[in-house]
Amino acid sequence: KMAAVDIDMPVETEPVIRDQDDLEREAEGFKEQGNAYYSKKDYSEAFNYYTKAIDACPRNASYYGNRAATLMMLSRFREALEDSQQAVRLDDCFMKGHLREGKCHMSLGNGMAASRCFQKVLELDLNNKEAKQEKKNATVLLEYEKMADFSFEKRDFRKVVYCMDRALALAPACHRFKIHKAECLALLGRYPEAQSVASDILRMDSTNADALYVRGLCLYYEDCIDKAVQFFVQALRMAPDHEKARLACRNAKALKAKKEEGNQAFKICNYESAYVLYTEALAIDPNNIKTNAKLYCNRATAGAKLKKINQAIDDCTSAIKLDDTYIKAYLRRAQCYMDTEQYEEAVRDYEKVYQTEKTSDHKHLLKTAQMELKKSKRKDYYKVLGVGKNATEDEIKKAYRKRALMHHPDRHSGAAPEVQKEEEKKFKEVGEAFTVLSDPKKKMRYDNGHDLEDDGCFEDSGPGNFFFQFG
């Protein structure tokens, strides 16, 4: 048989019931320690001791008031607001509690609630200077908010940013004002600033739908449409009724799809269809500057293929107005200018491109345009003879004979002196043209834009000489 084992059974003890006076004395001790840390600006430790005081004596309004003050110094305004509200629930005549509640409402951007709190303080103490000043500040805050809303409706986004900056000086913890400012910065094209504001909020609250929307808006306007859609979808997960995110998401998807349709049509050389699709894409969202600049440039490329050169130039100009750093639009417009022999305009665009990107290709394009401009300011000998620039030697000879006979002085001997003088001038130009274009070396120099006046090309270019070469 096993030996019996003695087991020590636990002794039931009576719960220790502490005297209320002891708890209050202990709570006061914690409060004093909290006050000491608060004076030393060690707000984290002060918070800990005020919390201990509340745990010991949860019905004391001043403990909540003190902890609220500490939380305000730690910029934890929402928690401070809860403590302030609890303080005044426990003691409706606690002026500091009402004052702190009002300040928390102010910091969080609720001017109406703040004004009510400060009014309550004034009912308790009509001459409270701090409450009077804070109530004025609450009125100013409400005015800036009202002005910002009105300006946003008028699409005066700069005014909204101005109002929100002033409002945030009074309400530094208001996410709503920060988001409103960030959205307007995005609409003004100040994307880095807008992203910075939105990112700061998302670091504190990763589920903030408004901040996710603004972050997506910046990406959308920077033509990063796929990434933008991801943010819009995330915002809608957090807030399914977020109308702005829904609209932006729809626009982003539609814009991407229509642009890709246009690109696909262009790739298979269906330029008419591409032109129409780019036009439809441009109508989706006039606010998307960067994407629309690309769409205008794409439509210009399709237009150039369709020989709509003037429309292509206009589209490039529209693209540049939207984005004056868009090199591709300058290059496309310059080529259109070259095609229509508007060489001065082409040179201007190529100069802009070369100043921005000093590549060998851009330098070559600029030099070519400058040469064509120089050539365009000389006599156009091809035009004088009425032949194309690729005319053969025989075509040049035939054209010369025809024009020389047409303008020969003997043929106009009976005409008025003014007519004779004009025809003689034209006859001489025909001779000059033939002298240059019939000589392969001179023709090459002329085609390359070299000056021929000092080469002695026209020393014996009297009227008779030209004519009798074929007489």
Side-chain angles (χ1 to χ4, degrees):
K1 289 183 181 180
M2 291 181 65
V5 178
D6 291 332
I7 298 174
D8 292 328
M9 298 298 292
V11 179
E12 291 188 9
T13 57
E14 291 292 327
V16 177
I17 300 173
R18 301 181 65 186
D19 183 79
Q20 185 62 32
D21 290 341
D22 288 342
L23 289 172
E24 289 179 3
R25 279 193 295 272
E26 185 179 44
E28 278 297 305
F30 289 140
K31 186 193 83 168
E32 293 303 324
Q33 286 176 283
N35 290 349
Y37 281 113
Y38 189 95
S39 297
K40 291 189 286 188
K41 298 184 180 180
D42 188 345
Y43 302 118
S44 294
E45 277 302 307
F47 171 82
N48 291 335
Y49 279 100
Y50 290 140
T51 300
K52 289 178 181 180
I54 289 169
D55 290 341
C57 194
R59 304 294 297 170
N60 190 307
S62 68
Y63 298 163
Y64 288 99
N66 286 7
R67 192 169 71 172
T70 304
L71 287 165
M72 289 168 72
M73 297 308 293
L74 291 168
S75 297
R76 292 159 61 179
F77 293 101
R78 293 195 183 280
E79 296 168 78
L81 177 61
E82 290 175 10
D83 274 358
S84 299
Q85 289 172 330
Q86 179 62 15
V88 298
R89 272 196 292 269
L90 292 169
D91 181 0
D92 192 46
C93 295
F94 185 26
M95 281 196 300
K96 283 186 178 179
H98 288 295
L99 200 57
R100 284 170 187 153
E101 182 187 354
K103 287 182 177 180
C104 288
H105 280 308
M106 275 291 286
S107 293
L108 294 167
N110 191 341
M112 195 72 74
S115 188
R116 286 196 295 268
C117 293
F118 300 134
Q119 179 59 38
K120 179 66 177 178
V121 175
L122 292 171
E123 287 170 10
L124 295 168
D125 177 7
L126 187 61
N127 297 315
N128 191 300
K129 291 182 180 179
E130 189 175 6
K132 285 181 179 179
Q133 183 57 52
E134 291 292 352
K135 191 176 180 187
K136 285 181 183 178
N137 290 342
T139 303
V140 171
L141 182 68
L142 290 167
E143 281 299 314
Y144 278 128
E145 191 174 359
K146 184 179 177 182
M147 200 185 305
D149 290 341
F150 178 78
S151 300
F152 190 86
E153 286 180 15
K154 298 291 183 184
R155 301 187 67 78
D156 186 353
F157 302 126
R158 284 185 177 80
K159 186 68 172 288
V160 178
V161 171
Y162 169 84
C163 291
M164 288 298 95
D165 279 337
R166 298 300 176 279
L168 283 164
L170 297 166
C174 182
H175 286 182
R176 185 164 49 87
F177 292 166
K178 289 177 181 178
I179 288 295
H180 203 23
K181 174 185 174 180
E183 182 181 5
C184 290
L185 287 170
L187 292 167
L188 288 167
R190 292 160 64 179
Y191 308 123
E193 294 171 76
Q195 285 180 9
S196 177
V197 175
S199 296
D200 285 345
I201 292 172
L202 288 171
R203 272 193 288 274
M204 292 181 279
D205 177 11
S206 62
T207 65
N208 188 302
D210 291 325
L212 289 167
Y213 159 70
V214 170
R215 187 79 180 84
L217 198 64
C218 292
L219 290 164
Y220 171 59
Y221 285 147
E222 289 183 298
D223 200 39
C224 300
I225 293 180
D226 287 334
K227 287 183 181 179
V229 168
Q230 290 174 13
F231 276 93
F232 294 143
V233 169
Q234 199 175 346
L236 288 166
R237 281 201 199 102
M238 298 300 114
D241 295 330
H242 201 296
E243 196 55 40
K244 286 183 178 179
R246 188 183 307 283
L247 177 62
C249 192
R250 187 167 66 240
N251 282 347
K253 288 178 178 178
L255 198 55
K256 181 175 184 282
K258 194 66 71 174
K259 182 183 175 187
E260 286 178 353
E261 279 186 71
N263 291 348
Q264 193 57 41
F266 188 90
K267 282 178 185 175
I268 61 173
C269 302
N270 189 347
Y271 304 125
E272 282 283 2
S273 180
Y275 193 92
V276 170
L277 288 163
Y278 291 140
T279 302
E280 290 174 359
L282 281 163
I284 292 171
D285 185 1
N287 293 322
N288 195 320
I289 291 170
K290 211 148 196 174
T291 302
N292 287 345
K294 290 182 179 181
L295 287 168
Y296 273 119
C297 194
N298 286 3
R299 191 171 74 172
T301 306
K305 292 287 187 182
L306 294 167
K307 306 301 179 188
K308 298 178 179 180
I309 304 298
N310 289 332
Q311 291 97 315
I313 290 172
D314 290 343
D315 276 348
C316 289
T317 300
S318 295
I320 290 164
K321 281 180 181 176
L322 293 175
D323 181 2
D324 63 2
T325 66
Y326 192 14
I327 295 299
K328 193 173 178 181
Y330 284 105
L331 288 170
R332 169 57 54 196
R333 188 171 69 175
Q335 184 57 57
C336 290
Y337 282 140
M338 291 290 285
D339 292 342
T340 52
E341 299 183 2
Q342 298 179 67
Y343 299 120
E344 286 187 11
E345 290 83 354
V347 166
R348 188 171 61 243
D349 278 353
Y350 283 134
E351 282 176 341
K352 171 73 175 178
V353 170
Y354 186 61
Q355 285 167 8
T356 307
E357 294 181 1
K358 288 183 166 57
T359 68
S360 56
D361 286 344
H362 294 160
K363 185 176 183 180
H364 174 72
L365 289 168
L366 175 58
K367 283 190 170 294
T368 301
Q370 288 171 332
M371 184 64 72
E372 290 301 324
L373 175 60
K374 183 178 178 182
K375 286 159 65 175
S376 72
K377 292 184 176 181
R378 311 170 307 173
K379 289 178 184 176
D380 187 341
Y381 290 142
Y382 290 101
K383 196 175 285 185
V384 169
L385 293 183
V387 295
K389 292 182 179 179
N390 297 318
T392 64
E393 189 177 339
D394 282 343
E395 287 171 338
I396 289 170
K397 285 180 180 178
K398 286 178 184 177
Y400 164 64
R401 181 182 285 116
K402 181 181 177 182
R403 292 294 173 104
L405 287 169
M406 186 187 302
H407 299 297
H408 194 280
D410 291 350
R411 192 168 186 174
H412 303 280
S413 57
E418 299 82 19
V419 175
Q420 288 186 38
K421 189 173 182 181
E422 183 61 28
E423 291 298 323
E424 186 175 335
K425 179 185 174 184
K426 288 180 180 178
F427 180 65
K428 186 175 180 181
E429 284 179 350
V430 169
E432 288 176 3
F434 182 71
T435 298
V436 172
L437 300 183
S438 63
D439 184 317
K441 289 183 181 179
K442 291 176 182 175
K443 182 177 183 297
M444 184 172 69
R445 284 177 58 76
Y446 175 79
D447 288 343
N448 289 334
H450 295 295
D451 291 325
L452 303 175
E453 284 78 2
D454 299 328
D455 292 352
C457 294
F458 313 126
E459 287 176 1
D460 298 317
S461 55
N465 290 340
F466 292 125
F467 181 69
F468 291 113
Q469 287 185 55
F470 293 106

